[in-house]
Structure formats: C-alpha cells, structure tokens
C-alpha cells in the first residue's frame, strides 16, 4: 500500500498573505512559500502546516448555520494548555470570539477572514 501523509490544510481567502500572517502569529508557523496568491506555512516541529490560496469569491460561513446559509465546510481544532491565555493571544492577533459557545472547555473563534476555529483543552 502507498504511504499517505497529511501535510497541510488549505484555506481559501481573498487575501492569502494577510491570513497567513494571522496564523503565523497564532500558531508559530514558519513561512515556506509566499506570493500574493499562495502561501505555505510549515510547522517547525514537523506537524502538518497550513496553506492559503486566493479565492476572490470566498463567502464567510455562518455558524451556527440555518437552512440556506453558507455552511462551514471545515474548521481547525487547536489544543491549548490555558484556554483564557490562548483566547487572549488569538484576539490580540485579530480573531473574534463567537457569541455562541457550545462547550465549557472549547472556545469558538473566527480568524480575520471569517474561518471558524476552536481552541480547546484536551482531556
């Protein structure tokens, strides 16, 4: 069987360079490739990275979504050891905390371009 390994998740955005800057701040990732339409960030510890591609027609998802809304297709889960400090760090970089929070040990936020992500305390 062929060996398969997830190396990156790609987020569409109208501004790849700006969104990559947010995730560099949030996660401490390193830029591996950057041009106005495509940015690759890598995990310096060898884990999966994030990439960003230009999509002029990007539509922010609604959450929680109602019938007919642009649905969230994917979100990022980020484990943290201090939820309050992690939320403060994310907000300082430009994230927004969502009003609806479904769990006590999870915080749902949006990045500056509207993608949803969760900061959570692992068990």
């Amino acid at each position: 069987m062929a060996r398969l390994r997830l190396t990156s998740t790609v987020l569409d955005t109208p501004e790849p360079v700006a969104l990559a800057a947010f995730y560099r701040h949030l996660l401490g990732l390193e830029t591996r490739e950057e041009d106005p339409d495509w940015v690759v960030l890598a995990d310096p510890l060898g884990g999966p990275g994030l990439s960003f591609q230009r999509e002029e027609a990007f539509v922010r998802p609604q959450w929680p979504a109602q019938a007919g809304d642009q649905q969230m297709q994917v979100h990022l889960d980020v484990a943290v050891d201090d939820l309050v400090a992690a939320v403060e760090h994310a907000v300082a970089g430009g994230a927004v905390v969502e009003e609806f929070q479904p769990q006590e040990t999870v915080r749902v936020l949006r990045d500056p371009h509207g993608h949803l992500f969760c900061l959570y305390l692992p068990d």
Side-chain angles (χ1 to χ4, degrees), residues 21-44:
F22 168 77
Y23 282 100
R24 254 192 318 272
H25 164 83
L26 182 69
L27 300 171
L29 301 176
E30 298 175 346
T31 302
R32 290 291 162 91
E33 187 178 334
E34 180 176 306
D35 71 47
D37 296 322
W38 177 252
V39 179
V40 176
L41 299 182
D43 180 344

Side-chain angles (χ1 to χ4, degrees), residues 82-104:
D82 182 328
L83 194 54
V84 172
V87 169
E88 289 173 356
H89 175 69
V91 168
V96 175
V97 179
E98 283 291 294
E99 184 177 323
F100 177 63
Q101 297 293 328
Q103 296 165 294
E104 192 171 312

Side-chain angles (χ1 to χ4, degrees), residues 63-80:
W63 187 82
Q66 304 293 317
D69 287 345
Q70 173 63 45
Q71 301 261 327
M72 172 178 51
Q73 297 293 313
V74 66
H75 73 274
L76 304 175
D77 282 341
V78 179
V80 301

